[in-house]
Amino acid sequence: MIKPMTKYSFVAFHKDTPAFLRMLQELGVMDITRSRKPAASDSRQLFDEIASYKSVLKELQKTQKEAVSSKAELPETRNLTPAKTKEEVFSLSSAIKTLNAELSQLRLDYAEALPWGAFEENAVERIKALGLTPCFVCLPTKKYNDSLKEKYALEVVSQTPEKTYLVILLPKGERLKGKVTTVDPPKVSAEKIALSISGKEKELEKKQSELLSLTGSIDSVSSEIERLTSEADLLLAGESAGKAAEDTIEVFTGFAPEECRKEVCAALDNAEGVYYIAEKAKAEDNPPIALKNNWFTRMFSVLTDMYGRPAYNEFDPTPYISVFFLLFFAMCMGDAGYGILLIIISFLLKKAKGAAKFAPLVLTLGIATVIVGFLLHTFFGIDISQVSWIPEGAKKFMITGKIAGYDAQMVLSLAIGVVHICIAMTVKAVYAVKKNGFANSLGTIGWTLLIVGGVIVGAIALGANLEKSLVKTIVIVLGIVSAIGIFLLNDIHRNPLKNIGSGLWETYNTVTGLLGDVLSYIRLYALGLAGGMLGAAFNQLGGMLLPEDGGFSVMWIFFILIVVFGHVLNLAMCCLGAFVHPLRLNFLEFFKNSGYEGSGKTYKPLTTNK
């Protein structure tokens, strides 16, 4: 499944680009391309103005939201012009920021002055005039004891379980003895600081109320942003020519999955100096392709990438490849014993550095090979349909015998090929209608009705033993309806005579091509048969060395060497064939009949995670 994408168009001035790219890299979901355009003299001013109005809108919306959540009493709102609103919001925001900083410092000063109580600022100078030196001391309470009173004239100002605040008076010129550290006395009393805090809080409340009253201008600011955005679009469209007057614009086109849109827009709204537009991606935008598959189909996405990711308006072939490649691989291997070896190899791959990611795929292929190998009754080259140690009930599930004089396995391979091609043609018809509309896809629909419908009717007729007259009527109706689409309406905008000529040429190519495509699936039978026969040949070569009486002999060693070496060699060749030929059947037969092109590019987001 192809993930829906959102297209983002960014504009940033050259000096803002590094910070912008770092932000996108941290975001980790944006696949971007970039280009440069010369910037006109008023470009920077226009984009800065858009950014300033966006910050004003953001501030007003934040203020409104906080007021509603706190259930505060709302003042009478004002609806000013956008320019006046911007001026007042910037002024009030600056004043509020300054007041908050001053209040923060005043509260710290108050916390420091509070333990020293109320005193006059000139008290220290008056004490010094008497020939005494006041020392302000803060001690941990656990270190304070009455011995200090015996040494100094002191007064405990305040005391908490943690600290003791005291003032020691010393004769001029003397110093404190021992490990007693002095602190600076407060410059202002706590009482005066509290009055300053109260005044600042009232001033802050007034400024916040004035800012809240400006929320009545939110609509006018939003309209101004829309007007400036339209103006910027026109300016940007005309800036691809001419010499740069003062700066360079970096133009980015980015794509991110639709599911990340909320996260991406929130990050871009907080970025400074960036102008962007977000819109739903279209096929003509050629967005990168991100595939969304489940745990099973995800293992086979590497095969899709070997051919090419789908275009944005194509279908994701990975689900079809996952089912049919698995089946084809197992049929080409055709040996349950080799499937067991693949399962063992998958567990070894989990411990191999650099190859662990392929372990689930090899395990899945091994399990499928065991199942199909059992149905094809081959185990390390042994025909298990002829051995006595397999229960008769299990042998009923094995594919043996002949159908219409041909090996059942060969007929099964051709039948699977017909189904594979029919699914491809059905997918082609569905996506043709989706891409071009029903009326413009009548030729494709005609071929699908003729071939797929004919196969279905034939299968039902054989299985249900329908009357010949009924089958004949259905076939005639199918033929007529299909012929109208193929020969007359394959292009409704073209002359009917040209349509007939085009239909005849397409009929020749389709008939000859389909025959070759169906016969290609015989390789599924041939490769499985060849692998089984080669495995049996190694078994026979080794068996020729064993003594007739079955007793122990040194020849058993050579028997084991021949059988092990032969099956290892055969396993390697079978794996090669079982990989290449199923891939060919999907890449050629299926993709050709489904109309798949695979011209998309892989989604590669800018990210710090490597």
Side-chain angles (χ1 to χ4, degrees), residues 54-362:
K54 282 186 175 182
S55 65
V56 167
L57 181 62
K58 183 179 178 181
E59 184 68 27
L60 291 177
Q61 289 173 337
K62 176 185 174 184
T63 302
Q64 187 181 53
K65 184 178 180 180
E66 289 175 350
V68 171
S69 62
S70 64
K71 298 181 180 179
E73 184 178 350
L74 301 177
E76 184 178 351
T77 58
R78 297 179 288 163
N79 186 7
L80 306 180
T81 62
K84 186 65 176 175
T85 301
K86 180 174 72 170
E87 180 183 346
E88 291 206 20
V89 167
F90 283 162
S91 175
L92 290 170
S93 296
S94 177
I96 289 171
K97 185 177 180 180
T98 302
L99 286 170
N100 278 322
E102 291 175 351
L103 276 170
S104 179
Q105 185 59 48
L106 284 171
R107 290 184 178 113
L108 289 175
D109 294 341
Y110 178 78
E112 292 178 358
L114 185 61
W116 301 106
F119 66 92
E120 297 177 7
E121 284 79 0
N122 60 355
V124 173
E125 298 300 325
R126 291 206 311 268
I127 293 174
K128 287 181 178 180
L130 297 174
L132 299 173
T133 302
C135 298
F136 291 77
V137 179
C138 177
L139 290 175
T141 300
K142 63 182 180 181
K143 291 185 178 181
Y144 172 75
N145 53 59
D146 292 337
S147 62
L148 285 174
K149 290 184 178 181
E150 298 174 0
K151 294 181 180 180
Y152 305 108
L154 61 83
E155 181 69 26
V156 176
V157 180
S158 63
Q159 191 173 42
T160 67
E162 292 80 23
K163 293 183 179 181
T164 297
Y165 299 85
L166 52 95
V167 178
I168 298 175
L169 297 178
L170 295 175
K172 190 174 182 180
E174 289 191 18
R175 293 184 179 183
L176 290 172
K177 299 177 181 179
K179 297 181 180 180
V180 180
T181 305
T182 61
V183 296
D184 293 331
K187 297 179 181 179
V188 184
S189 67
E191 184 179 358
K192 286 188 176 182
I193 296 175
L195 290 174
S196 297
I197 289 175
S198 178
K200 294 291 183 183
E201 286 177 341
K202 289 180 181 179
E203 188 178 352
L204 176 63
E205 185 178 349
K206 181 182 177 182
K207 296 293 184 184
Q208 289 174 333
S209 179
E210 290 178 12
L211 181 62
L212 184 58
S213 70
L214 289 174
T215 56
S217 302
I218 286 178
D219 290 340
S220 63
V221 172
S222 298
S223 299
E224 182 66 8
I225 291 173
E226 291 179 2
R227 185 188 70 79
L228 291 173
T229 299
S230 298
E231 186 177 338
D233 289 342
L234 291 174
L235 180 65
L236 185 62
E239 287 196 338
S240 57
K243 294 183 178 180
E246 63 171 10
D247 211 339
T248 303
I249 290 178
E250 293 278 0
V251 181
F252 299 88
T253 300
F255 295 91
E258 182 70 28
E259 61 196 34
C260 303
R261 182 166 184 161
K262 186 176 180 181
E263 175 191 357
V264 172
C265 288
L268 293 175
D269 288 338
N270 292 327
E272 294 184 2
V274 177
Y275 165 71
Y276 79 95
I277 299 173
E279 56 187 337
K280 188 175 181 180
K282 296 175 287 189
E284 49 266 33
D285 298 325
N286 192 27
I289 305 302
L291 301 179
K292 182 179 181 180
N293 293 305
N294 57 35
W295 66 269
F296 175 71
T297 56
R298 195 179 301 121
M299 294 186 294
F300 297 88
S301 60
V302 64
L303 303 180
T304 300
D305 290 338
M306 288 176 66
Y307 186 89
R309 291 211 171 181
Y312 197 60
N313 58 348
E314 278 191 306
F315 66 95
D316 178 11
T318 310
Y320 307 101
I321 290 177
S322 62
V323 174
F324 285 101
F325 181 86
L326 183 63
L327 176 61
F328 296 166
F329 182 93
M331 291 182 69
C332 289
M333 292 294 290
D335 192 299
Y338 292 168
I340 294 174
L341 292 179
L342 288 176
I343 293 173
I344 295 172
I345 290 172
S346 71
F347 287 108
L348 297 176
L349 286 176
K350 286 184 178 180
K351 300 179 181 180
K353 188 177 180 180
K357 63 181 179 180
F358 297 111
L361 177 59
V362 176

Side-chain angles (χ1 to χ4, degrees), residues 512-529:
T512 56
L514 277 177
L515 181 60
D517 291 344
V518 172
L519 291 176
S520 292
Y521 289 85
I522 291 182
R523 71 188 67 235
L524 300 176
Y525 164 71
L527 287 170
L529 180 63

Side-chain angles (χ1 to χ4, degrees), residues 437-506:
F438 182 80
N440 294 317
S441 308
L442 293 175
T444 303
I445 294 172
W447 279 113
T448 304
L449 280 175
L450 181 64
I451 296 171
V452 178
V455 170
I456 293 173
V457 170
I460 294 174
L462 290 173
N465 197 19
L466 297 178
E467 293 184 6
K468 292 183 178 180
S469 58
L470 177 60
V471 174
K472 184 178 179 180
T473 302
I474 295 174
V475 170
I476 291 173
V477 171
L478 270 178
I480 293 173
V481 173
S482 301
I484 292 173
I486 294 170
F487 294 104
L488 298 178
L489 303 176
N490 53 59
D491 187 343
I492 59 175
H493 306 291
R494 191 166 55 186
N495 187 304
L497 293 177
K498 290 184 178 180
N499 284 343
I500 293 173
S502 175
L504 290 172
W505 175 248
E506 189 173 357

